[in-house]
Amino acid sequence: LSVFLDSMHNYTYIYGTKPNNSSNTVSGISFLYKSSNTMDFVNYEEILVNHLGTVATQPFPRAPLLLAVRWNGEKIYIINNHLKAYGDDESVERRQKSSELLYDYIADNLSSEKVIMMGDLNDSLTDLEYDNVFNIFLQDETNYIIADIDIANGHSDFWSYPSYPSHIDHIILSTELSSSFNKSGSTIE
C-alpha cells in the first residue's frame, strides 16, 4: 500500500490501525487527499476505539478516523467510517448503534464545529423510518444535512454500488457547513 501511495504525487495519506482480530496488513480506515495550498493538515485520531470489535456488543469493525484540517483558513473535521456490512439482524443493529455513537460523539465533542461525517456506511438512507439506521441524523435537520439524499432517492445508475444495486456510501454534514453546501455551483455526485 505504501508503494502505491508514495507513487501518488501531490497526494497525502493518513491511516489508522488495522482492525482487531484481523490478519489484514492494511489499516482500518484511511484518508487520501490531494495536497494543496488551500488545505492544511492539523491532526488526526481514531475515535470511539472502546467500541471496536467483532461482536454485537462492539458496533465498529474499524475505528472511525477523525481528521482535522484547515480549508481556506477554516477548521473542518472529517470523520471517515466503514461500518459493519451485511443485512443480518446483528449487522443492522451494529450499524444502528454505530450511528448513535457517532451522533453522540459529534454532539459531545464537535457541536458547533464544521463536520463532515462520511464513508462506507453499508446501509440505505431510504429505508423506512422504523428500520433506518440513520434516523438519528435524518430527523435532526437542525444540526445535519444529508448531502447525498438526492442521489439515494435518484436512479440506481448513480448509486455508490449500482451493481448490487445499493447506495451505501454517504456524506452527512453539520449545518455549520450549510452555506458552503448551498453555494451556487456546489454539487454532490
Side-chain angles (χ1 to χ4, degrees):
L1 179 63
S2 293
V3 172
F4 167 74
L5 294 173
D6 289 339
S7 70
M8 302 277 299
H9 300 290
N10 299 321
Y11 282 82
T12 302
Y13 59 92
I14 295 168
Y15 49 87
T17 58
K18 66 182 179 180
N20 287 349
N21 303 322
S22 173
S23 60
N24 189 348
T25 58
V26 177
S27 64
I29 302 289
S30 303
F31 282 103
L32 175 66
Y33 61 93
K34 189 171 187 174
S35 305
S36 71
N37 293 336
T38 58
M39 188 175 95
D40 296 314
F41 168 76
V42 176
N43 63 8
Y44 74 96
E45 68 177 300
E46 291 178 309
I47 60 172
L48 300 167
V49 293
N50 54 329
H51 299 283
L52 183 63
T54 58
V55 295
T57 57
Q58 301 298 319
F60 291 102
R62 299 158 193 84
L65 192 57
L66 172 66
L67 178 69
V69 300
R70 288 206 183 280
W71 179 267
N72 293 321
E74 295 186 70
K75 196 166 190 180
I76 298 175
Y77 295 89
I78 305 168
I79 303 172
N80 195 7
N81 297 277
H82 191 169
L83 301 186
K84 180 70 176 101
Y86 306 116
D88 58 280
D89 289 344
E90 179 183 312
S91 297
V92 172
E93 288 174 26
R94 288 177 69 183
R95 286 192 298 278
Q96 175 72 44
K97 183 64 175 169
S98 295
S99 291
E100 292 167 1
L101 288 166
L102 286 161
Y103 182 91
D104 290 344
Y105 180 88
I106 295 168
D108 294 345
N109 299 283
L110 303 168
S111 64
S112 61
E113 303 292 343
K114 295 179 178 183
V115 178
I116 302 170
M117 203 271 291
M118 58 183 277
D120 182 354
L121 304 184
N122 277 314
D123 215 316
S124 174
L125 293 169
T126 57
D127 287 341
L128 297 174
E129 184 175 327
Y130 70 88
D131 197 32
N132 195 315
V133 302
F134 306 116
N135 240 8
I136 198 163
F137 291 101
L138 289 162
Q139 292 183 348
D140 188 355
E141 294 178 8
T142 301
N143 293 303
Y144 295 98
I145 300 165
I146 312 303
D148 61 310
I149 194 70
D150 289 341
I151 295 170
N153 286 319
H155 195 278
S156 63
D157 285 352
F158 302 103
W159 290 351
S160 58
Y161 195 3
S163 62
Y164 188 62
S166 185
H167 182 61
I168 56 176
D169 303 300
H170 305 298
I171 304 168
I172 299 173
L173 309 173
S174 65
T175 52
E176 287 78 10
L177 286 164
S178 63
S179 63
S180 296
F181 179 71
N182 295 320
K183 188 177 181 178
S184 177
S186 175
T187 62
I188 298 288
E189 296 179 13

